[in-house]
Amino acid sequence: RAGGSPAAQRLFNRGGSAANADDSPNSSPAEARSRQYFHSLTLLPITESEEEIDSADEDDSAGLLRRSEQLLDEFEDVTETEKRFMKLWNRFMLPRRGVPDAAMESHVASFAKTHAHDLEDASLRQHFVIHLLSLFEHGCISASCIRDCGGAQTCSEA
């Protein structure tokens, strides 16, 4: 057989199966223990004292939010008001990870109610409406949600 990795070629030449392919570089338990593993959220190396901790259970929301805001601050072609809106939205949505499109309207309504005072600022409200239009274009919210929530004070949950 032509092509494939050297390990795959050795496997096919022996007529074996993947279970018999124990000559791969990292197949032994000792070699597996010596590999470098990383946290799934932070991508930082896992230290020996953390080896038994499942990083999928980690919640570093504060660190994630801090990093997100630092990245937003680095944008030079975005106004301060746009950054302010994006930070408000991200802070609101961070605890609500994995929101399905079907639930987005209720989250938009909740955001509008929670931040009604902030959205009294016309430029901030303008960025909110632009965001609503983007959500509408992606099929996440309806036109009635834009109408109902675009004014923030009159927003009623869908």
Side-chain angles (χ1 to χ4, degrees), residues 35-40 43-55 58:
R35 290 186 205 151
Q36 179 64 63
Y37 293 94
F38 298 87
H39 292 276
S40 60
L43 303 180
L44 294 173
I46 293 177
T47 63
E48 285 183 35
S49 63
E50 300 172 317
E51 286 180 356
E52 298 302 317
I53 298 171
D54 184 0
S55 67
E58 294 175 348

Side-chain angles (χ1 to χ4, degrees), residues 131-154:
H131 184 64
L132 294 178
L133 292 170
S134 178
L135 291 172
F136 173 75
E137 288 176 356
H138 287 90
C140 298
I141 63 172
S142 65
S144 63
C145 181
I146 296 172
R147 184 187 63 244
D148 295 344
C149 295
Q153 293 81 0
T154 62

